[in-house]
Amino acid sequence: MNDLIAVGLDGSAESVAAAHWAAREALLRGVPLHLVHAEEWSSPRAVPVPTADVRRPWSQALLTEAAEALRTAHPQLDVGIRSIDGRPAAVLAHVAANAGMIVLGSRGLGTLMGFVLGSVGMAVIQATVRPVVVVRASEDAVPHPVSRHASRDLVVGIDTSKPCDALLTFAFEEAARRACALHVLHSWSPPPLVGYGGAYEPRIHAQLEMSAKAALDDVLGPWRVKYPAVAVTSRASAGHAATELVDRSSEAGLMVVGRRIRQSPIGAHIGPVAHAVLHHAKGPVAVIAHA
């Protein structure tokens, strides 16, 4: 069941952008695309809830119109539609479990406040181990050719001190599929005493930087061998990982970040770096769950 891409569609500009992005990704992978609409109808006690006979034609029209637009733009695309009653977060998380990827829209608030993923998108990311891609309402809604979808480079952020095989597998396979370059970023934190006395000396800082770059190259070595056709650049820099990734997001065709699969006392979470990138990156973001 993983040989398909699912997209959550609610009629918003963001979800339409997500559908067009997902359509091009499905064509690159040679898999079907499923458009899914999920909605839980409720209202104050005094206001009657629309019956299923009223809701179903509206949902069906929404999905049918979107599917027809995608088929017109991409005649070779296999598009399926499905409307499900239920809480969107729970429905989409269930759909994601049976898909190779799920694509969602994200609402933009401008350059100062960035973007809002929303409770549904956040809940889906926390609930599934499948790749989740978040798309902005931008030029990605325009039905341009697949080749343009694949033209811009990929950027992935990794932590060399922890396992990241799932993250690198996704990034390298996606770059190979798109025939584009892959930029791998690693941000490292200087020791606590750097900035005080002799520890601030440029020579020491340069040595630390060289050590971080060497560790990054060691991690990437086997992947360069496994994917020789992928042009890879790597950079290790001192600073905050989220800041570095967000700064690079405007030039990336896809930003790839990881989410550790772990539970906190208050439930699953996605980590501060992924959270910041999801809310402030300027282009599509893929979140990859890994150990």
Side-chain angles (χ1 to χ4, degrees):
M1 290 296 292
N2 296 337
D3 57 344
L4 64 89
I5 292 178
V7 57
L9 189 70
D10 61 10
S12 66
E14 295 79 20
S15 70
V16 171
H20 280 283
W21 191 96
R24 296 189 292 275
E25 184 69 16
L27 287 172
L28 283 174
R29 293 170 176 245
V31 300
L33 175 68
H34 284 193
L35 306 181
V36 180
H37 174 75
E39 191 158 359
E40 181 179 47
W41 289 80
S42 62
S43 66
R45 188 173 300 176
V47 179
V49 176
T51 65
D53 289 341
V54 174
R55 302 196 309 263
R56 193 171 296 112
W58 181 88
S59 301
Q60 198 69 21
L62 169 69
L63 291 166
T64 300
E65 181 180 349
E68 289 177 352
L70 292 172
R71 292 187 186 109
T72 299
H74 310 289
Q76 67 275 43
L77 181 65
D78 180 0
V79 185
I81 61 175
R82 187 179 181 190
S83 179
I84 307 173
D85 284 344
R87 292 188 301 110
V91 168
L92 293 174
H94 176 74
V95 169
N98 296 294
M101 171 189 291
I102 187 164
V103 185
L104 306 171
S106 178
R107 178 167 58 92
L109 292 178
T111 56
L112 292 179
M113 295 183 66
F115 294 85
V116 170
L117 178 57
S119 59
V120 172
M122 194 66 71
V124 174
I125 290 173
Q126 293 170 341
T128 184
V129 296
R130 301 298 184 191
V132 181
V133 176
V134 176
V135 178
R136 318 304 186 193
S138 64
E139 82 282 352
D140 286 300
V142 179
H144 51 67
V146 175
S147 59
R148 181 177 163 192
H149 178 63
S151 61
R152 290 189 294 167
D153 295 345
L154 267 70
V155 176
V156 58
I158 69 169
D159 182 351
T160 59
S161 67
K162 299 176 181 178
C164 51
D165 283 1
L167 185 59
L168 287 173
T169 295
F170 178 90
F172 271 88
E173 288 185 352
E174 193 71 12
R177 187 177 293 118
R178 293 165 175 243
C180 69
L182 174 63
H183 304 287
V184 184
L185 306 180
H186 167 63
S187 295
W188 55 278
S189 300
L193 293 180
V194 170
Y196 297 92
Y200 186 66
E201 197 203 328
R203 180 177 58 83
I204 296 178
H205 184 89
Q207 290 174 345
L208 293 171
E209 189 173 58
M210 288 176 60
S211 177
K213 182 62 165 60
L216 177 57
D217 288 339
D218 285 344
V219 169
L220 294 178
W223 298 92
R224 295 178 188 271
V225 173
K226 186 176 181 180
Y227 296 90
V230 176
V232 183
T233 65
S234 60
R235 176 181 174 184
S237 59
H240 297 289
T243 301
E244 178 78 8
L245 291 169
V246 170
D247 287 345
R248 293 290 298 271
S249 65
S250 60
E251 60 194 64
L254 182 64
M255 178 68 62
V256 184
V257 295
R259 175 184 78 82
R260 299 280 171 190
I261 303 174
R262 60 176 182 258
Q263 295 286 331
S264 72
I266 59 173
H269 62 99
I270 64 173
V273 174
H275 187 278
V277 174
L278 281 166
H279 284 272
H280 296 286
K282 300 174 180 64
V285 178
V287 182
I288 310 304
H290 60 111

